[in-house]
């Protein structure tokens, strides 16, 4: 009797554990379904990327002689969900068993477990650390610091290791990766691909279906198969990696990508293998093509941060996305969906999110994330926004980054203090403030940068929780040294500003 083998839209890897386990004549089930396309209002580019890559992956499997039962979104028989499609295909082929690679979201893991079929969910071996490894690393630790986990991953993979010592005698070169925005960027951005005929047809079909979603479908330029994704990686290694480290945290009005690789969407969908990517990047160091701060900074994101995020998501369990220890309840402001805001930094980050389904980590963490945290936005709404609008976002990676790292809604599992800053940080790292209607130097008054006001408002609202945090004592001491009049002005202007935001004014 044949089994069904499930391959999801972010499992497009020929060596996927479910595919390796399958017998030659098992039926591979792939399905474009309304449930996955709409459980959050995904950016149209994200949907197009996943569907286009799924179609090409299925075609390759078929060319390799595999039996693929592929459901397109417009198939009249389409049941609208992954589980519905598995039941339908099981009846069609007389199958009783499903072989799957564990999905990256609890929602789907639980749905598969509830199926009236025997389902085996295999480990996703595309990750470096298994759940068991992460659990045993985490067990008994008071603090789950990424840095310690990362060092274990360096030792495990042998990347940038000199025997049992780190190459360059330091594990982490982050200090060298904080240069402010350069005058000019001598890199034209990630490699862009003209959609082939099949992808073009898909775009025409998707356009009217998802035109209400936030985000521009055109121009669509993502790689949609492994070979193209590799070309994009090679292009980045050749032309941008040498500068990547220095300007990793910088932001510019006229540069959406700076020296960033923009390959997370390819890795997360399975088109590129993370270890293989790191090996290619390490080779650039061995070839003296790029400096160690760039190489180490990149490899840390992939084998350190990315794996650590996944570990936290699975360790914390299905309720993680509902955490809200700071009890934040403000609605996500309309400018996250493209309404006008006078804050140039936010406006730029949202605008490029809309056109590209991409913003880099500092735009996500220190602009939009920082704003949402300071303003006290409901973290669940923030989480759904990030999950929807970024082409690389799946819950296993997005939720710990947003609920944990960015919004401190998990109470400090991911970060030992909230990631907040006043306008100063943005002014230092970008050219946004120079052309902003607000004045970053103004701490109060009609043109005061909202980040300056909200920063103090946040700290004072949460004084009971954070005053004794050793990493935050300085902030409270600065506040305590201020004149009482000034304190009153700051807090009342912050609250006025938030009231205007809530009233729907353009702020
Ligand atoms: C994100 C996404 C979208 C938009 N559509 C599909 C789909 O139609 N079929 C599918 O198999 N996967 C899709 N995905 C990816 C899944 O949502 C993803 O596999 C789960 O969220 C687990 O990470
Ligand atoms: Fe952003 Fe404030 Fe700078 Fe304007 S002045 S760009 S709001 S940090």
């Amino acid at each position: 009797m044949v089994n069904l083998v499930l391959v999801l839209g972010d499992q497009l890897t020929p060596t996927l554990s479910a595919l390796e386990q399958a017998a030659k004549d098992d039926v591979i089930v792939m399905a474009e379904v309304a449930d996955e396309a709409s459980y959050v209002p995904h950016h149209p580019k994200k949907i197009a990327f996943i569907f286009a890559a799924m179609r090409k992956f299925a075609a390759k499997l078929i060319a390799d002689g595999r039996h693929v039962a592929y459901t397109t979104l417009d198939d009249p028989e389409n049941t609208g969900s992954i589980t519905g499609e598995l039941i339908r295909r099981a009846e069609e082929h007389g199958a009783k068993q499903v072989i799957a690679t564990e999905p990256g979201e609890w929602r789907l893991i639980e749905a598969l477990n509830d199926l009236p079929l025997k389902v085996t969910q295999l480990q996703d071996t595309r990750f470096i650390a298994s759940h068991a490894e992460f659990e045993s690393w985490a067990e008994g630790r008071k603090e789950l610091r990424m840095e310690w986990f990362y060092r274990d991953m360096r030792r495990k993979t042998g990347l940038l290791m000199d025997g049992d010592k780190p190459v360059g005698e330091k594990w982490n070169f982050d200090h060298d990766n904080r240069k402010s925005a350069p005058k000019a960027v001598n890199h034209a951005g990630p490699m862009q691909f003209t959609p082939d005929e099949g992808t073009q047809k898909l775009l025409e079909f998707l356009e009217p279906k998802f035109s209400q979603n936030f985000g521009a479908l055109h121009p669509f330029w993502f790689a949609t198969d492994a070979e193209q994704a590799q070309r994009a990686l090679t292009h980045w290694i050749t032309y941008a990696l040498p500068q990547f480290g220095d300007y990793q945290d910088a932001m510019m009005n006229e540069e959406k990508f700076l020296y960033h690789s923009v390959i997370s969407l390819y890795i997360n969908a399975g088109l590129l293998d993370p270890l293989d990517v790191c090996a290619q990047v390490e080779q650039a160091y061995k070839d003296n093509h790029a400096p160690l701060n760039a190489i180490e900074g990149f490899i840390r994101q992939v084998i350190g941060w990315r794996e650590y995020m996944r570990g936290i998501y699975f360790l914390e369990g299905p309720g993680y996305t509902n955490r809200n220890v700071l009890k934040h309840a403000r609605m996500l402001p309309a400018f996250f969906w493209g309404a006008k805001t006078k804050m140039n930094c936010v406006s730029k980050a949202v605008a490029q999110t809309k056109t590209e389904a991409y913003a880099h980590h500092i735009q996500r963490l220190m602009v939009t994330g920082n704003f949402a945290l300071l303003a006290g936005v409901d973290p669940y709404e923030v989480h759904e926004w990030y999950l929807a609008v970024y082409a690389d976002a799946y819950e296993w990676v997005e939720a710990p980054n947003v609920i944990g790292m960015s919004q401190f809604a998990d109470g400090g599992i991911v970060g030992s203090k909230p990631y907040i800053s006043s306008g100063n940080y943005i002014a230092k790292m970008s050219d946004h403030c120079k052309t902003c209607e607000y004045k970053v130097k103004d701490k109060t008054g009609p043109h005061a940068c909202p980040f300056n006001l909200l920063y103090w408002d946040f700290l004072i609202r949460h004084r009971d929780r954070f005053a004794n945090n050793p990493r935050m004592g300085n902030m409270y001491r600065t506040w305590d040294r201020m004149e009482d009049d000034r304190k009153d002005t700051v807090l009342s202007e912050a609250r006025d500003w938030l009231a205007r935001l809530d009233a729907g004014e353009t702020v």
Side-chain angles (χ1 to χ4, degrees), residues 282-327:
E282 185 186 36
Q283 190 59 44
Y285 176 67
K286 292 180 180 159
D287 295 344
N288 282 327
H289 172 61
L292 190 51
N293 66 309
I295 306 280
E296 189 280 321
F298 181 86
I299 287 179
R300 175 159 27 87
Q301 297 311 322
V302 179
I303 69 168
W305 191 253
R306 182 173 184 272
E307 294 280 330
Y308 169 77
M309 287 288 95
R310 179 172 184 264
I312 298 282
Y313 180 72
F314 282 102
L315 191 70
E316 290 301 312
Y320 189 70
T321 52
N322 294 315
R323 307 264 172 103
N324 187 2
V325 299
L326 300 178
K327 301 204 172 13

Side-chain angles (χ1 to χ4, degrees), residues 343-345 423 426 432-433 436 438-440 449-451:
M343 294 180 285
N344 190 37
C345 53
I426 296 169
H432 293 326
C433 302
C436 184
Y438 293 110
K439 299 280 161 258
V440 74
C449 165
F451 284 84

